[in-house]
Amino acid sequence: MANPVWQSLAGQQAVIDQLTGTQTITAPTHAWLFTGPPGSGRSLAARAFAQTLQCEQSDPTARGCGACQACATIGAGTHADVNIVTTEKVTYAIEDVRELVANAHDRPSTARWRIIIIEDADRMTERATNVLLKAIEEPPERTIWMLSAPSPADVLVTIRSRTRHVQLVIPAVADVAQLLTDRDGIEPQLAQTCARASQSHVGVARWLARSSEARERRDMIVHLPLSIRSASAAMEAANDLHKLVQDEAEASAADRNAAERAGLLRSLGLTEDEPIPPKLRGHVRRMEDNQTARNRRAIHDALDRAMIDLSGIFRDLLLLHVTAETELINEHMRTKLTEYAATISAEHCLNALEAITLARKRLAGNVPPLLALEAMLLAFIPRTRRHAPL
């Protein structure tokens, strides 16, 4: 059985075996690239590996205990020698990467290694990656880099060639459901439904399981295609979907932004009611700029989750044209989906999936979200049925 820090990594036994070998723990490679689909746990695997390398247990096979000071502080993101770097902006700023490279040359203060974990390394621009490349090519003796990205193709080939690759896979629905039950105390049936609805994305499954509002929003999104029968209905559905994702993003950001603002004002010795002196306005402006960038990213992420949920609906409808035996992503909607599948063709399902893929590309290319959604939802209008589902 894996040591405690690895027990939150669902369905990745091959990765755990790769990273917990005695040789790997005692003489690790200086640079690693963790890749895997969203929700597979690539960032979690990097943290667990950092805990294993820094664990205070003397026996290499017992490292990753989860109880010592090193394991606890890495898990909390406060270990002095482990930098966990993430961004909620669209890309990493080159200044941030330069600062990381400078810090990488500091010797570890208390632990065996200085470890720098860069989550979402695919968000680095080419200029920022080139700054990082030199540090990876000429690493300090006790420094270990860990990068994570969806796939090796998402980072420059020069980075890929200088890192050891760790490939995570999409975990099985049963593994994700079991994790939600064991770790978070979620009722088994709800855990199974959320694991399936999230398409084995651990983070989304947990979010759905813990929030009835999130489940309600998702339910509204996945029912949209079933009500679109005309162009006017598609336009109305596009507006509804756009509002849903905006509400979701704003709900997740509002409390955080308010707390962040209050904390900054408190640190500057100000209250919410008093005017901000000119010499302190730069601090507040920088915070507001960061919040604006983060809010844009939150809307983009919420839209992308909606696209994935809609893809799941048409994947289910397509399956119903092939076989009635396979379990669906939206198994709780089987009756409705079976009835709807009888009114559309398999070709229509494929066209809808292509429209969703195109919408995701357009959104990534900064097309106005409402326009991209309208074009996508127009493709959901049913055409003449050609083949009845089985």
Side-chain angles (χ1 to χ4, degrees):
M1 180 178 291
N3 289 339
V5 298
W6 295 100
Q7 290 176 4
S8 290
L9 197 64
Q12 307 293 345
Q13 191 56 50
V15 167
I16 295 172
D17 292 342
Q18 178 184 355
L19 296 176
T20 54
T22 301
Q23 180 64 28
T24 300
I25 294 172
T26 55
T29 303
H30 75 281
W32 298 77
L33 176 61
F34 292 79
T35 66
S40 58
R42 56 181 186 261
S43 297
L44 184 61
R47 290 194 188 210
F49 187 38
Q51 288 172 300
T52 301
L53 294 177
Q54 304 285 48
C55 182
E56 296 166 12
Q57 298 291 331
S58 57
D59 180 2
T61 63
R63 290 181 191 166
C65 68
C68 68
Q69 181 74 6
C71 285
T73 51
I74 293 171
T78 58
H79 194 288
D81 294 320
V82 179
N83 290 21
I84 301 172
V85 185
T86 187
T87 184
E88 289 166 320
K89 300 178 184 177
V90 175
T91 60
Y92 280 96
I94 193 169
E95 295 79 11
D96 297 336
V97 178
R98 285 180 176 142
E99 184 179 351
L100 282 178
V101 171
N103 292 340
H105 287 80
D106 295 337
R107 291 187 63 83
S109 56
T110 61
R112 299 180 184 90
W113 311 96
R114 176 165 293 282
I115 298 175
I116 302 174
I117 300 173
I118 303 179
E119 300 183 355
D120 299 314
D122 53 303
R123 295 190 193 179
M124 282 192 185
T125 62
E126 186 171 349
R127 287 183 61 214
T129 305
N130 286 332
V131 170
L132 177 63
L133 179 60
K134 187 171 179 58
I136 291 179
E137 286 178 326
E138 302 172 5
E141 183 182 358
R142 308 299 293 177
T143 296
I144 297 174
W145 293 90
M146 299 183 191
L147 284 63
S148 73
S151 76
D154 290 314
V155 298
L156 292 182
V157 66
T158 47
I159 292 289
R160 297 202 302 268
S161 65
R162 289 163 176 79
T163 54
R164 185 171 171 183
H165 186 206
V166 178
Q167 174 68 57
L168 283 82
V169 298
I170 299 175
V173 168
D175 290 331
V176 176
Q178 191 64 51
L179 177 64
L180 295 179
T181 299
D182 294 345
R183 183 187 66 183
D184 302 309
I186 304 300
E187 188 271 326
Q189 185 173 353
L190 177 60
Q192 182 77 11
T193 299
C194 294
R196 190 174 297 284
S198 72
Q199 300 182 49
S200 292
H201 188 302
V202 176
V204 173
R206 188 184 189 208
W207 172 62
L208 289 172
R210 298 176 68 178
S211 171
S212 59
E213 291 181 355
R215 294 196 297 276
E216 288 172 8
R217 277 194 295 267
R218 182 188 183 278
D219 202 50
M220 293 174 69
I221 289 169
V222 296
H223 276 82
L224 281 176
L226 310 187
S227 63
I228 296 175
R229 299 285 177 174
S230 64
S232 60
M235 296 298 103
E236 184 178 351
N239 278 306
D240 291 344
L241 180 55
H242 190 233
K243 186 176 187 307
L244 273 173
V245 296
Q246 282 189 315
D247 289 347
E248 178 184 326
E250 289 170 4
S252 64
D255 291 343
R256 181 177 178 181
N257 288 347
E260 195 173 61
R261 178 181 176 85
L264 176 62
L265 293 178
R266 191 164 52 249
S267 69
L268 296 175
L270 302 172
T271 66
E272 193 68 51
D273 299 328
E274 63 183 302
I276 300 171
K279 64 180 180 180
L280 299 179
R281 288 174 188 165
H283 297 283
V284 177
R285 192 175 301 114
R286 279 194 297 274
M287 177 204 66
E288 290 173 344
D289 289 343
N290 287 336
Q291 288 181 343
T292 299
R294 190 169 66 212
N295 292 348
R296 281 199 302 268
R297 184 73 201 184
I299 291 173
H300 178 276
D301 290 346
L303 277 168
D304 203 54
R305 278 196 300 272
M307 302 293 102
I308 293 170
D309 289 335
L310 290 170
S311 295
I313 284 291
F314 284 102
R315 179 260 193 193
D316 286 346
L317 291 168
L318 192 58
L319 272 179
L320 288 170
H321 277 269
V322 178
T323 175
E325 303 302 322
T326 305
E327 288 194 357
L328 307 178
I329 293 170
N330 299 280
E331 186 63 35
H332 63 294
M333 294 174 59
R334 176 176 284 274
T335 301
K336 290 181 180 179
L337 292 178
T338 301
E339 293 172 355
Y340 184 73
T343 70
I344 60 173
S345 66
E347 182 184 6
H348 174 70
C349 298
L350 292 172
N351 289 338
L353 288 168
E354 289 177 2
I356 293 169
T357 300
L358 180 58
R360 293 180 76 183
K361 289 179 180 177
R362 286 171 171 167
L363 290 167
N366 292 322
V367 171
L370 188 55
L371 288 179
L373 294 177
E374 287 175 349
M376 177 189 73
L377 290 172
L378 283 170
F380 290 3
I381 301 172
R383 305 293 186 260
T384 304
R385 180 174 66 87
R386 294 185 182 178
H387 302 288
L390 297 178

CSV table of all heavy atoms in Angstrom, one decimal, residues 2-10 12 15-16 19-20 25 34 41-55 62-66 70-71 74-75 82 84 115 117 119 146 168:
chain,number,residue,atom,x,y,z
A,2,ALA,N,0.5,2.3,-0.8
A,2,ALA,CA,1.3,3.5,-0.8
A,2,ALA,C,1.3,4.2,0.5
A,2,ALA,O,0.4,4.1,1.3
A,2,ALA,CB,0.7,4.4,-1.9
A,3,ASN,N,2.4,5.0,0.7
A,3,ASN,CA,2.5,5.8,2.0
A,3,ASN,C,1.4,6.9,1.9
A,3,ASN,O,0.8,7.2,0.9
A,3,ASN,CB,3.9,6.4,2.1
A,3,ASN,CG,4.9,5.3,2.4
A,3,ASN,OD1,4.5,4.2,2.9
A,3,ASN,ND2,6.1,5.6,2.1
A,4,PRO,N,1.1,7.4,3.1
A,4,PRO,CA,-0.1,8.3,3.2
A,4,PRO,C,-0.2,9.5,2.2
A,4,PRO,O,-1.3,9.8,1.8
A,4,PRO,CB,0.0,8.8,4.7
A,4,PRO,CG,0.7,7.7,5.4
A,4,PRO,CD,1.6,7.1,4.4
A,5,VAL,N,0.9,10.1,1.9
A,5,VAL,CA,0.8,11.3,1.0
A,5,VAL,C,0.3,10.9,-0.4
A,5,VAL,O,-0.1,11.8,-1.2
A,5,VAL,CB,2.2,12.0,0.9
A,5,VAL,CG1,2.6,12.6,2.2
A,5,VAL,CG2,3.2,11.2,0.3
A,6,TRP,N,0.4,9.6,-0.7
A,6,TRP,CA,0.0,9.2,-2.1
A,6,TRP,C,-1.5,8.7,-2.1
A,6,TRP,O,-2.0,8.4,-3.2
A,6,TRP,CB,0.9,8.1,-2.6
A,6,TRP,CG,2.3,8.5,-2.8
A,6,TRP,CD1,3.3,8.3,-1.9
A,6,TRP,CD2,2.8,9.2,-3.9
A,6,TRP,NE1,4.5,8.8,-2.4
A,6,TRP,CE2,4.2,9.4,-3.6
A,6,TRP,CE3,2.3,9.7,-5.1
A,6,TRP,CZ2,5.0,10.1,-4.5
A,6,TRP,CZ3,3.1,10.4,-5.9
A,6,TRP,CH2,4.5,10.5,-5.7
A,7,GLN,N,-2.1,8.6,-1.0
A,7,GLN,CA,-3.4,8.0,-1.0
A,7,GLN,C,-4.6,8.9,-1.5
A,7,GLN,O,-5.7,8.4,-1.7
A,7,GLN,CB,-3.8,7.6,0.5
A,7,GLN,CG,-2.9,6.4,0.9
A,7,GLN,CD,-3.1,6.0,2.3
A,7,GLN,OE1,-4.0,6.5,3.0
A,7,GLN,NE2,-2.3,5.0,2.8
A,8,SER,N,-4.3,10.2,-1.8
A,8,SER,CA,-5.3,11.0,-2.4
A,8,SER,C,-5.1,11.1,-3.9
A,8,SER,O,-5.8,11.8,-4.6
A,8,SER,CB,-5.2,12.5,-1.9
A,8,SER,OG,-5.6,12.5,-0.5
A,9,LEU,N,-4.2,10.3,-4.5
A,9,LEU,CA,-4.0,10.2,-5.9
A,9,LEU,C,-4.8,9.0,-6.5
A,9,LEU,O,-4.4,7.9,-6.3
A,9,LEU,CB,-2.5,10.1,-6.2
A,9,LEU,CG,-2.1,10.4,-7.6
A,9,LEU,CD1,-2.3,11.9,-8.0
A,9,LEU,CD2,-0.6,10.1,-7.8
A,10,ALA,N,-5.9,9.3,-7.1
A,10,ALA,CA,-6.8,8.2,-7.5
A,10,ALA,C,-6.4,7.5,-8.8
A,10,ALA,O,-6.1,8.2,-9.8
A,10,ALA,CB,-8.2,8.8,-7.7
A,12,GLN,N,-3.7,5.9,-10.0
A,12,GLN,CA,-2.4,6.2,-10.6
A,12,GLN,C,-1.3,5.3,-10.0
A,12,GLN,O,-0.2,5.8,-9.7
A,12,GLN,CB,-2.0,7.7,-10.4
A,12,GLN,CG,-3.1,8.7,-10.8
A,12,GLN,CD,-3.2,8.7,-12.3
A,12,GLN,OE1,-2.4,8.2,-13.1
A,12,GLN,NE2,-4.3,9.3,-12.8
A,15,VAL,N,2.2,5.4,-11.6
A,15,VAL,CA,3.0,6.6,-11.3
A,15,VAL,C,3.5,6.5,-9.9
A,15,VAL,O,4.7,6.9,-9.6
A,15,VAL,CB,2.1,7.9,-11.4
A,15,VAL,CG1,2.7,9.1,-10.8
A,15,VAL,CG2,1.7,8.1,-12.9
A,16,ILE,N,2.7,6.1,-8.9
A,16,ILE,CA,3.2,5.9,-7.5
A,16,ILE,C,4.4,5.0,-7.5
A,16,ILE,O,5.4,5.2,-6.8
A,16,ILE,CB,2.1,5.4,-6.6
A,16,ILE,CG1,1.0,6.5,-6.6
A,16,ILE,CG2,2.6,5.1,-5.2
A,16,ILE,CD1,-0.3,6.0,-5.8
A,19,LEU,N,7.6,6.7,-8.8
A,19,LEU,CA,8.1,7.8,-7.9
A,19,LEU,C,8.5,7.4,-6.5
A,19,LEU,O,9.0,8.2,-5.8
A,19,LEU,CB,7.1,8.9,-7.9
A,19,LEU,CG,6.8,9.6,-9.2
A,19,LEU,CD1,5.7,10.7,-9.0
A,19,LEU,CD2,8.1,10.2,-9.8
A,20,THR,N,8.2,6.2,-6.2
A,20,THR,CA,8.5,5.7,-4.8
A,20,THR,C,9.6,4.7,-4.7
A,20,THR,O,9.9,4.1,-3.7
A,20,THR,CB,7.3,5.2,-4.1
A,20,THR,OG1,6.7,4.2,-4.9
A,20,THR,CG2,6.3,6.4,-3.8
A,25,ILE,N,14.1,8.0,-4.9
A,25,ILE,CA,14.0,8.8,-3.7
A,25,ILE,C,15.3,9.3,-3.3
A,25,ILE,O,15.5,10.5,-2.9
A,25,ILE,CB,13.2,8.1,-2.6
A,25,ILE,CG1,11.8,7.8,-3.0
A,25,ILE,CG2,13.3,8.9,-1.3
A,25,ILE,CD1,11.0,6.9,-2.0
A,34,PHE,N,5.5,16.5,-15.2
A,34,PHE,CA,4.2,15.7,-14.9
A,34,PHE,C,3.2,16.1,-15.9
A,34,PHE,O,2.8,17.3,-16.0
A,34,PHE,CB,3.8,16.0,-13.5
A,34,PHE,CG,4.7,15.5,-12.4
A,34,PHE,CD1,5.8,16.2,-12.0
A,34,PHE,CD2,4.4,14.4,-11.7
A,34,PHE,CE1,6.7,15.7,-11.0
A,34,PHE,CE2,5.2,13.9,-10.7
A,34,PHE,CZ,6.4,14.6,-10.4
A,41,GLY,N,-4.7,14.7,-11.5
A,41,GLY,CA,-3.9,14.8,-10.3
A,41,GLY,C,-2.4,15.1,-10.5
A,41,GLY,O,-1.6,14.7,-9.6
A,42,ARG,N,-2.1,15.7,-11.6
A,42,ARG,CA,-0.6,15.9,-11.9
A,42,ARG,C,0.0,16.8,-10.9
A,42,ARG,O,1.1,16.5,-10.5
A,42,ARG,CB,-0.4,16.4,-13.3
A,42,ARG,CG,-1.2,17.6,-13.7
A,42,ARG,CD,-0.9,18.1,-15.1
A,42,ARG,NE,-1.5,19.3,-15.4
A,42,ARG,CZ,-2.7,19.5,-16.0
A,42,ARG,NH1,-3.4,18.4,-16.4
A,42,ARG,NH2,-3.2,20.7,-16.3
A,43,SER,N,-0.7,17.9,-10.5
A,43,SER,CA,-0.1,18.8,-9.5
A,43,SER,C,-0.1,18.1,-8.1
A,43,SER,O,0.9,18.3,-7.4
A,43,SER,CB,-1.0,20.0,-9.4
A,43,SER,OG,-0.9,20.8,-10.6
A,44,LEU,N,-1.1,17.3,-7.8
A,44,LEU,CA,-1.1,16.5,-6.6
A,44,LEU,C,0.1,15.5,-6.5
A,44,LEU,O,0.7,15.3,-5.5
A,44,LEU,CB,-2.4,15.8,-6.4
A,44,LEU,CG,-2.7,15.0,-5.1
A,44,LEU,CD1,-2.6,15.9,-3.9
A,44,LEU,CD2,-4.0,14.3,-5.2
A,45,ALA,N,0.4,14.9,-7.7
A,45,ALA,CA,1.5,13.9,-7.7
A,45,ALA,C,2.8,14.6,-7.5
A,45,ALA,O,3.7,14.1,-6.8
A,45,ALA,CB,1.5,13.2,-9.1
A,46,ALA,N,3.0,15.8,-8.0
A,46,ALA,CA,4.2,16.6,-7.8
A,46,ALA,C,4.4,16.9,-6.4
A,46,ALA,O,5.5,16.8,-5.8
A,46,ALA,CB,4.2,17.9,-8.7
A,47,ARG,N,3.3,17.4,-5.7
A,47,ARG,CA,3.4,17.7,-4.3
A,47,ARG,C,3.7,16.4,-3.4
A,47,ARG,O,4.5,16.5,-2.5
A,47,ARG,CB,2.1,18.3,-3.8
A,47,ARG,CG,1.8,19.7,-4.3
A,47,ARG,CD,0.7,20.4,-3.6
A,47,ARG,NE,0.3,21.6,-4.2
A,47,ARG,CZ,-0.2,22.7,-3.5
A,47,ARG,NH1,-0.3,22.6,-2.2
A,47,ARG,NH2,-0.5,23.8,-4.1
A,48,ALA,N,3.0,15.3,-3.8
A,48,ALA,CA,3.3,14.1,-3.0
A,48,ALA,C,4.7,13.7,-3.2
A,48,ALA,O,5.4,13.2,-2.2
A,48,ALA,CB,2.3,13.0,-3.5
A,49,PHE,N,5.3,13.8,-4.4
A,49,PHE,CA,6.7,13.5,-4.7
A,49,PHE,C,7.6,14.4,-3.9
A,49,PHE,O,8.6,13.9,-3.3
A,49,PHE,CB,7.0,13.6,-6.2
A,49,PHE,CG,8.3,13.1,-6.6
A,49,PHE,CD1,8.9,12.0,-6.0
A,49,PHE,CD2,9.0,13.7,-7.6
A,49,PHE,CE1,10.1,11.5,-6.3
A,49,PHE,CE2,10.3,13.3,-8.0
A,49,PHE,CZ,10.8,12.1,-7.3
A,50,ALA,N,7.3,15.7,-3.8
A,50,ALA,CA,8.1,16.6,-3.0
A,50,ALA,C,8.0,16.2,-1.5
A,50,ALA,O,9.1,16.2,-0.8
A,50,ALA,CB,7.6,18.0,-3.2
A,51,GLN,N,6.9,15.8,-1.0
A,51,GLN,CA,6.8,15.4,0.4
A,51,GLN,C,7.6,14.1,0.6
A,51,GLN,O,8.3,14.0,1.6
A,51,GLN,CB,5.3,15.1,0.7
A,51,GLN,CG,4.5,16.3,0.8
A,51,GLN,CD,3.0,16.0,1.0
A,51,GLN,OE1,2.4,15.4,0.1
A,51,GLN,NE2,2.4,16.5,2.1
A,52,THR,N,7.6,13.2,-0.4
A,52,THR,CA,8.4,12.0,-0.2
A,52,THR,C,9.9,12.3,-0.2
A,52,THR,O,10.6,11.7,0.6
A,52,THR,CB,8.0,11.0,-1.4
A,52,THR,OG1,6.6,10.7,-1.4
A,52,THR,CG2,8.8,9.7,-1.3
A,53,LEU,N,10.3,13.2,-1.1
A,53,LEU,CA,11.8,13.5,-1.1
A,53,LEU,C,12.2,14.3,0.2
A,53,LEU,O,13.3,14.1,0.6
A,53,LEU,CB,12.0,14.4,-2.3
A,53,LEU,CG,11.9,13.8,-3.7
A,53,LEU,CD1,12.1,14.8,-4.8
A,53,LEU,CD2,12.8,12.6,-3.9
A,54,GLN,N,11.3,15.1,0.8
A,54,GLN,CA,11.7,15.9,1.9
A,54,GLN,C,11.3,15.3,3.2
A,54,GLN,O,11.7,15.8,4.3
A,54,GLN,CB,11.1,17.3,1.8
A,54,GLN,CG,11.4,18.1,0.5
A,54,GLN,CD,12.7,18.6,0.5
A,54,GLN,OE1,13.7,18.0,0.7
A,54,GLN,NE2,12.8,19.9,0.1
A,55,CYS,N,10.6,14.2,3.2
A,55,CYS,CA,10.1,13.6,4.4
A,55,CYS,C,11.3,13.3,5.4
A,55,CYS,O,12.4,12.9,5.0
A,55,CYS,CB,9.4,12.3,4.1
A,55,CYS,SG,8.7,11.4,5.5
A,62,ALA,N,9.8,4.4,3.9
A,62,ALA,CA,8.8,5.0,4.8
A,62,ALA,C,8.5,6.5,4.5
A,62,ALA,O,7.7,7.1,5.1
A,62,ALA,CB,9.2,4.8,6.2
A,63,ARG,N,9.2,7.1,3.6
A,63,ARG,CA,9.1,8.5,3.3
A,63,ARG,C,7.8,8.8,2.6
A,63,ARG,O,7.3,8.0,1.8
A,63,ARG,CB,10.3,9.0,2.5
A,63,ARG,CG,11.5,9.0,3.3
A,63,ARG,CD,12.7,9.6,2.5
A,63,ARG,NE,14.0,9.3,3.3
A,63,ARG,CZ,15.2,9.4,2.8
A,63,ARG,NH1,15.3,9.8,1.5
A,63,ARG,NH2,16.2,9.2,3.5
A,64,GLY,N,7.2,10.0,2.9
A,64,GLY,CA,5.9,10.3,2.5
A,64,GLY,C,4.9,9.9,3.6
A,64,GLY,O,3.7,9.5,3.3
A,65,CYS,N,5.3,10.1,4.9
A,65,CYS,CA,4.5,9.6,6.0
A,65,CYS,C,3.3,10.5,6.2
A,65,CYS,O,2.3,10.1,6.8
A,65,CYS,CB,5.4,9.6,7.3
A,65,CYS,SG,5.9,11.3,7.8
A,66,GLY,N,3.4,11.8,5.8
A,66,GLY,CA,2.3,12.7,5.9
A,66,GLY,C,2.1,13.3,7.3
A,66,GLY,O,1.3,14.2,7.5
A,70,ALA,N,8.0,18.2,7.7
A,70,ALA,CA,8.2,18.5,6.3
A,70,ALA,C,7.0,18.1,5.5
A,70,ALA,O,6.5,18.9,4.6
A,70,ALA,CB,9.4,17.7,5.8
A,71,CYS,N,6.4,17.0,5.7
A,71,CYS,CA,5.2,16.6,5.0
A,71,CYS,C,4.1,17.5,5.2
A,71,CYS,O,3.3,17.9,4.3
A,71,CYS,CB,4.8,15.1,5.3
A,71,CYS,SG,5.8,13.8,4.6
A,74,ILE,N,4.7,21.1,3.5
A,74,ILE,CA,4.6,21.0,2.1
A,74,ILE,C,3.1,20.9,1.7
A,74,ILE,O,2.7,21.5,0.8
A,74,ILE,CB,5.4,19.8,1.5
A,74,ILE,CG1,6.9,20.1,1.7
A,74,ILE,CG2,5.1,19.6,0.0
A,74,ILE,CD1,7.8,18.9,1.4
A,75,GLY,N,2.4,20.1,2.4
A,75,GLY,CA,1.0,19.9,2.2
A,75,GLY,C,0.2,21.2,2.3
A,75,GLY,O,-0.7,21.5,1.6
A,82,VAL,N,10.4,24.5,-0.4
A,82,VAL,CA,9.6,24.0,-1.5
A,82,VAL,C,8.7,25.1,-2.0
A,82,VAL,O,7.8,25.6,-1.2
A,82,VAL,CB,8.7,22.8,-1.0
A,82,VAL,CG1,7.8,22.3,-2.2
A,82,VAL,CG2,9.6,21.6,-0.6
A,84,ILE,N,5.8,26.3,-4.4
A,84,ILE,CA,4.7,25.8,-5.2
A,84,ILE,C,4.2,27.0,-6.0
A,84,ILE,O,3.6,27.9,-5.4
A,84,ILE,CB,3.7,25.1,-4.4
A,84,ILE,CG1,4.3,23.9,-3.6
A,84,ILE,CG2,2.5,24.6,-5.3
A,84,ILE,CD1,3.4,23.3,-2.6
A,115,ILE,N,13.1,22.5,-3.8
A,115,ILE,CA,12.2,22.0,-4.8
A,115,ILE,C,11.3,23.1,-5.3
A,115,ILE,O,10.7,23.9,-4.5
A,115,ILE,CB,11.3,20.8,-4.3
A,115,ILE,CG1,12.2,19.7,-3.9
A,115,ILE,CG2,10.3,20.4,-5.3
A,115,ILE,CD1,11.5,18.5,-3.2
A,117,ILE,N,8.0,23.7,-7.7
A,117,ILE,CA,6.9,23.1,-8.5
A,117,ILE,C,6.2,24.2,-9.2
A,117,ILE,O,5.7,25.1,-8.7
A,117,ILE,CB,6.0,22.4,-7.5
A,117,ILE,CG1,6.7,21.3,-6.7
A,117,ILE,CG2,4.8,21.8,-8.3
A,117,ILE,CD1,5.8,20.7,-5.6
A,119,GLU,N,3.1,24.7,-11.5
A,119,GLU,CA,1.8,24.2,-12.0
A,119,GLU,C,1.4,24.9,-13.2
A,119,GLU,O,1.7,26.1,-13.4
A,119,GLU,CB,0.7,24.3,-10.9
A,119,GLU,CG,1.1,23.5,-9.6
A,119,GLU,CD,0.0,23.6,-8.6
A,119,GLU,OE1,-1.0,24.3,-8.8
A,119,GLU,OE2,0.1,23.0,-7.5
A,146,MET,N,10.0,20.7,-10.8
A,146,MET,CA,8.9,19.9,-11.2
A,146,MET,C,7.9,20.7,-11.9
A,146,MET,O,7.3,21.7,-11.3
A,146,MET,CB,8.3,19.3,-9.9
A,146,MET,CG,9.2,18.4,-9.1
A,146,MET,SD,8.3,17.6,-7.7
A,146,MET,CE,9.7,16.9,-6.8
A,168,LEU,N,0.5,10.8,-16.2
A,168,LEU,CA,-0.7,10.3,-15.4
A,168,LEU,C,-1.9,10.0,-16.4
A,168,LEU,O,-1.9,10.6,-17.6
A,168,LEU,CB,-1.2,11.4,-14.5
A,168,LEU,CG,-0.4,11.5,-13.2
A,168,LEU,CD1,0.9,12.3,-13.4
A,168,LEU,CD2,-1.2,12.1,-12.0
